[in-house]
Amino acid sequence: MPALALVDTPVDDAFSGDCSGVFIPPSPNSSAASLDWSPSLSSSLYRIDGWGAPYFTTNSSGNISVRPHGSNTMTHQDVDLMKVVKKVTDPKSSGGLALQLPLIVRFPDVLKNRLESLQSAFEFAIQTQGYESHYQGVYPVKCNQDRFIIEDIVEFGSSFRFGLEAGSKPEILLAMSCLCKGNPDAFLVCNGFKDAEYVSLALLGRKLELNTVIVLEQEDELDLVIDLSKKMNVRPVIGLRAKLRTKHSGHFGSTSGEKGKFGLTTVQIIRVVRKLREVGMLDCLQLLHFHIGSQIPSTALLSDGVSEAAQLYCELVRLGARMEVIDIGGGLGIDYDGSKSGESDLSVAYSLEEYAAAVVASVRFVCDQKSVKHPVICSESGRAIVSHHSVLIFEAVSAGKQHETPSDLQFLLEGYSEEARGDYENLYDAATRGDRESCLLYVDQLKQRCVEEFKEGSLSIEQLAGVDGLCEWVTKEIGASDPVLTYNVNLSVFTSVPDFWGIDQLFPIVPIHKLDQRPVARGILSDLTCDSDGKINKFIGGESSLPLHELDNGGGGRYYLGMFLGGAYEEALGGVHNLFGGPSVVRVLQKDGPHGFAVTRAMMGQSSADVLRAMQHEPELMFQTLKHRAEELSSVHKAGGDKANDKLVASCLARSFNNMPYLSVGTSTNALTAAINNLAVYYRDEAAVGDGGGCGKNGKWSYSVD
């Protein structure tokens, strides 16, 4: 046996073990990476046709295209997502908007199509089943409270009386304001916990001739409504939320059933009816609301819950209430993983049309049995309305090397303990025999022993590195090393994908380009935060890694990923962990011309100053404090100070306060590199700073040099 084994010493074919059952992409240098691959294969690999239809597809350039009008989109109306990203991120000198990633791209055309599709599904079910009333939905603003989304929904839905649902005082204020420009018959459904101020706002809505409905979530809210309506001389429209016995077993079903957070029991409903009758206001009770839970998995469960609620509705009619509306709440699910399955929280086993048909049929059947007039059907389908229209774009900036084995480290037998030398001899013998399992055993044994000896101080770091290199090389040669890379992405999971961290919600994540090339690796995504939970290591389809392409950082190429179907909740729930703020946002409309689009609104993401201010800091004072400190030190190092250097310090500080907290990928290196000059401050990069100096956005960070 040799006394010296180099890390790159070849071994016989016994080390070329099989790794069956694990997908290991071909080497980046393999011609297979570019041959025998097509966008259609990528579409199958990433399940795009499953979760993306009819809004997302791959095009012949290998990019993701958005079909803004869904199935009604003509071929020339597709919008290439990569062209949008280029337009938004290119510098202004090149005709771009110079926005920084991460980026949310909103497509109002998709939002409009979702609204129209939901309305059409119910209208078709009502017409074909002979239902004798109509559908009139509302959007729950909690899903995404962005001003322009709310305004779009009110505008797009005005022709069919589409309304809003609010669950807090700020939400009712924004809903009232927006509905002033909407259809006067549109509902404003007021849910959530209520105090006197909330109820007063809802009653004020009726004075403003808005179609406001106060939904009782708790029994004691009724006294507030009765008292304040008399004081304000307003005849309220009242609804009540019932706790149904029907619920589903998934995560999203935890808010339904008898143990649900909201709603009244049958005993409480009877007491509410009696009290309203006693005060002569039973005619005000006009709406029944319930919620089975989000992401209802099947129409069978849906029909069961709607039927139970319809029975309650008919009983309220029998008790004398002037009932007019049944509000089936949320629950209309979307297919996050493209499986069309009702067996998990990630998918649903029905279409929009099947959902609407099940609701209409269930209400109609019960009401016909009880000889009750068919009510207006209302739903609060937020997730199904807004999820598709927003795409989160972010960039992979680096990746861990696969099977990293340093060739300049040697494993020398001299200097190791007899036990470690014995482990090496056993490993060498196992390799000679081609015994793969024993190789793995002795690799682990050798590493563990040497780690213990390093902790005791008997091994140097060079010796430990030699062992690590040898063991990694052996593991690679027998095909047992982990093929999964870590791709570092310019993103905060806690800010942009909080539901992944909080409830293990999965979203489709796909490269938005290079889809005409075979992925050459599998990876997980690690974000910028200093938190071990800041990673995405679960993906749709039950995968623990994602097929990805090789990064081309050295060649100046950039690698963009998109997270889809995240238009609901993620922005509202996102925090500022590590003070990473919200992403940039643009609105993109399809316009005339082949594959044409227009960016109608663009907003840079939160700056460092914005997130500092959100945590009660005062960035303007911080800027002045740091600027003053630099001037003081400058005068110490140089008599009379250094005004040019002081101006430079102020410029760099201003830029740092104004910039987004995320990595400035592609920015001039000089603009981000510290130059040691008296105070060890940054030096000015004229090309990067530009003519604006350090004045910053909106002139907030102004400075002067006397």
Side-chain angles (χ1 to χ4, degrees):
M1 180 176 58
L4 173 68
L6 295 176
V7 169
D8 57 355
T9 300
V11 296
D12 61 31
D13 291 339
F15 277 95
S16 301
D18 174 45
C19 195
S20 59
V22 179
F23 167 68
I24 303 178
S27 166
N29 297 324
S30 170
S31 60
S34 57
L35 299 177
D36 301 324
W37 198 257
S38 66
S40 62
L41 290 175
S42 287
S43 184
S44 298
L45 179 65
Y46 295 109
R47 302 184 175 206
I48 296 172
D49 291 339
W51 55 260
Y55 300 106
F56 305 104
T57 186
T58 55
N59 60 35
S60 58
S61 299
N63 301 333
I64 293 285
S65 277
V66 179
R67 308 182 71 230
H69 310 297
S71 56
N72 296 323
T73 306
M74 292 183 282
T75 304
H76 70 278
Q77 293 177 319
D78 284 2
V79 176
D80 190 317
L81 199 50
M82 268 300 293
K83 291 182 179 179
V84 174
V85 172
K86 178 175 172 54
K87 173 66 177 177
V88 169
T89 60
D90 273 357
K92 292 182 179 179
S93 59
S94 301
L97 300 177
L99 292 189
Q100 186 179 341
L101 297 185
L103 169 73
I104 291 176
V105 185
R106 302 200 202 283
F107 293 93
D109 292 320
V110 173
L111 182 62
K112 183 178 182 182
N113 184 265
R114 292 299 293 173
L115 272 174
E116 292 174 344
S117 298
L118 178 62
Q119 185 71 26
S120 296
F122 271 98
E123 287 179 353
F124 180 78
I126 285 169
Q127 181 180 0
T128 56
Q129 297 185 36
Y131 192 81
E132 297 176 355
S133 189
H134 66 274
Y135 168 75
Q136 192 173 329
V138 296
Y139 167 69
V141 299
K142 67 179 180 181
C143 291
N144 195 320
Q145 299 99 337
D146 179 83
R147 167 191 168 186
F148 301 104
I149 293 176
I150 306 297
E151 290 179 352
D152 280 345
I153 288 173
V154 171
E155 177 187 349
F156 298 154
S158 180
S159 62
F160 38 84
R161 298 169 288 193
F162 210 87
L164 300 174
E165 180 270 346
S168 67
K169 285 179 276 190
E171 287 185 353
I172 195 174
L173 287 169
L174 74 85
M176 289 168 62
S177 175
C178 289
L179 285 174
C180 285
K181 300 178 182 179
N183 191 307
D185 294 326
F187 292 130
L188 170 47
V189 177
C190 301
N191 290 330
F193 289 103
K194 302 171 187 67
D195 60 6
E197 184 179 3
Y198 187 121
V199 174
S200 296
L201 284 171
L203 294 171
L204 174 61
R206 296 209 66 81
K207 277 185 172 287
L208 298 176
E209 298 185 352
L210 298 173
N211 195 3
T212 305
V213 182
I214 302 174
V215 178
L216 304 178
E217 306 275 10
Q218 299 181 96
E219 186 179 0
D220 57 10
E221 292 172 355
L222 179 60
D223 292 332
L224 276 176
V225 174
I226 293 172
D227 181 53
L228 290 170
S229 64
K230 291 179 179 178
K231 289 179 179 178
M232 296 176 65
N233 194 28
V234 177
R235 196 70 174 171
V237 174
I238 300 173
L240 59 83
R241 177 166 174 169
K243 284 186 178 181
L244 300 187
R245 315 301 170 94
T246 306
K247 62 174 293 184
H248 69 81
S249 58
H251 166 80
F252 294 111
S254 61
T255 55
S256 62
E258 292 182 278
K259 303 295 184 181
K261 179 178 179 181
F262 296 110
L264 307 181
T265 64
T266 53
V267 173
Q268 292 171 320
I269 289 173
I270 293 299
R271 287 203 294 257
V272 165
V273 170
R274 286 175 180 169
K275 179 168 286 190
L276 285 172
R277 183 183 291 115
E278 289 170 2
V279 297
M281 294 177 64
L282 187 55
D283 62 309
C284 295
L285 180 57
Q286 298 179 20
L287 178 146
L288 174 68
H289 173 42
F290 66 94
H291 180 63
I292 301 173
S294 297
Q295 284 287 107
I296 297 173
S298 67
T299 54
L301 178 63
L302 173 67
S303 297
D304 191 25
V306 173
S307 296
E308 181 187 350
Q311 293 287 355
L312 276 175
Y313 179 92
C314 292
E315 286 299 295
L316 289 170
V317 171
R318 182 182 65 80
L319 292 172
R322 204 184 80 187
M323 301 299 293
E324 294 185 8
V325 183
I326 184 167
D327 180 352
I328 65 174
L332 173 54
I334 62 172
D335 191 358
Y336 287 103
D337 65 6
S339 66
K340 304 292 188 292
S341 166
E343 298 178 357
S344 77
D345 292 330
L346 294 178
S347 186
V348 292
Y350 52 80
S351 63
L352 274 179
E353 292 74 18
E354 290 167 336
Y355 174 88
V359 170
V360 172
S362 298
V363 177
R364 178 178 178 275
F365 178 79
V366 173
C367 289
D368 286 351
Q369 270 193 330
K370 300 284 187 176
S371 299
V372 170
K373 180 182 176 182
H374 296 169
V376 174
I377 296 175
C378 177
S379 74
E380 303 175 5
S381 305
R383 185 188 304 269
I385 291 173
V386 298
S387 290
H388 297 77
H389 96 290
S390 289
V391 182
L392 173 68
I393 307 296
F394 55 99
E395 185 174 3
V397 294
S398 64
K401 295 185 181 298
Q402 189 173 4
H403 313 312
E404 184 174 8
T405 307
S407 58
D408 57 341
L409 290 176
Q410 296 179 338
F411 177 80
L412 299 169
L413 290 176
E414 288 79 6
Y416 291 87
S417 67
E418 288 188 17
E419 291 82 0
R421 291 164 65 93
D423 291 333
Y424 172 78
E425 292 171 2
N426 291 332
L427 175 59
Y428 186 90
D429 290 341
T432 303
R433 298 193 308 271
D435 187 344
R436 185 174 182 272
E437 295 302 318
S438 294
C439 280
L440 290 175
L441 174 65
Y442 292 126
V443 159
D444 184 64
Q445 197 166 299
L446 177 61
K447 287 183 69 173
Q448 291 299 320
R449 191 183 305 280
C450 290
V451 166
E452 292 301 319
E453 292 179 2
F454 177 76
K455 291 178 180 179
E456 295 169 357
S458 57
L459 280 186
S460 67
I461 188 172
E462 292 88 351
Q463 290 173 310
L464 184 61
V467 170
D468 288 338
L470 172 67
C471 293
E472 175 62 26
W473 175 77
V474 170
T475 304
K476 173 186 174 183
E477 287 299 312
I478 64 176
S481 56
D482 185 359
V484 177
L485 309 183
T486 297
Y487 280 65
N488 301 304
V489 294
N490 199 6
L491 183 76
S492 165
V493 169
F494 305 93
T495 299
S496 295
V497 204
D499 270 342
F500 175 81
W501 170 71
I503 61 172
D504 286 331
Q505 172 69 45
L506 304 185
F507 298 91
I509 298 176
V510 181
I512 65 169
H513 60 140
K514 295 190 175 184
L515 297 175
D516 55 348
Q517 303 172 33
R518 182 191 296 272
V520 297
R522 293 196 73 99
I524 63 171
L525 308 179
S526 177
D527 77 355
L528 296 182
T529 64
C530 300
D531 195 306
S532 58
D533 286 334
K535 61 185 177 182
I536 301 176
N537 56 2
K538 297 177 184 176
F539 303 89
I540 63 170
E543 299 291 338
S544 58
S545 61
L546 188 69
L548 295 168
H549 302 84
E550 182 184 22
L551 299 187
D552 186 27
N553 293 338
R558 301 174 71 173
Y559 192 49
Y560 299 104
L561 300 168
M563 188 198 82
F564 296 81
L565 309 187
Y569 297 109
E570 301 314 291
E571 293 171 62
L573 292 174
V576 290
H577 189 30
N578 263 171
L579 298 187
F580 286 105
S584 302
V585 180
V586 295
R587 285 163 47 89
V588 176
L589 286 174
Q590 182 266 328
K591 70 173 186 179
D592 294 337
H595 311 290
F597 65 88
V599 179
T600 61
R601 184 172 297 275
M603 185 177 67
M604 182 70 84
Q606 288 179 297
S607 67
S608 293
D610 293 332
V611 291
L612 286 166
R613 194 175 291 111
M615 301 304 293
Q616 310 303 313
H617 296 280
E618 298 184 46
E620 292 82 3
L621 292 180
M622 297 166 67
F623 171 73
Q624 293 297 333
T625 298
L626 293 168
K627 175 173 168 283
H628 181 65
R629 177 64 175 267
E631 291 169 349
E632 284 182 333
L633 291 176
S634 177
S635 63
V636 170
H637 286 277
K638 184 177 181 180
D642 187 339
K643 293 184 179 180
N645 198 61
D646 293 345
K647 184 175 181 179
L648 173 59
V649 171
S651 172
C652 292
L653 285 171
R655 290 177 57 245
S656 294
F657 275 109
N658 276 307
N659 284 343
M660 290 175 66
Y662 297 91
L663 301 182
S664 299
V665 180
T667 303
S668 168
T669 304
N670 289 344
L672 301 175
T673 304
I676 301 176
N677 177 19
N678 296 332
L679 300 176
V681 299
Y682 293 103
Y683 66 88
R684 184 182 183 89
D685 185 306
E686 297 292 344
V689 175
D691 296 335
C695 294
K697 183 169 54 179
N698 301 325
K700 288 182 180 178
W701 310 105
S702 60
Y703 56 87
S704 60
V705 179
D706 299 329

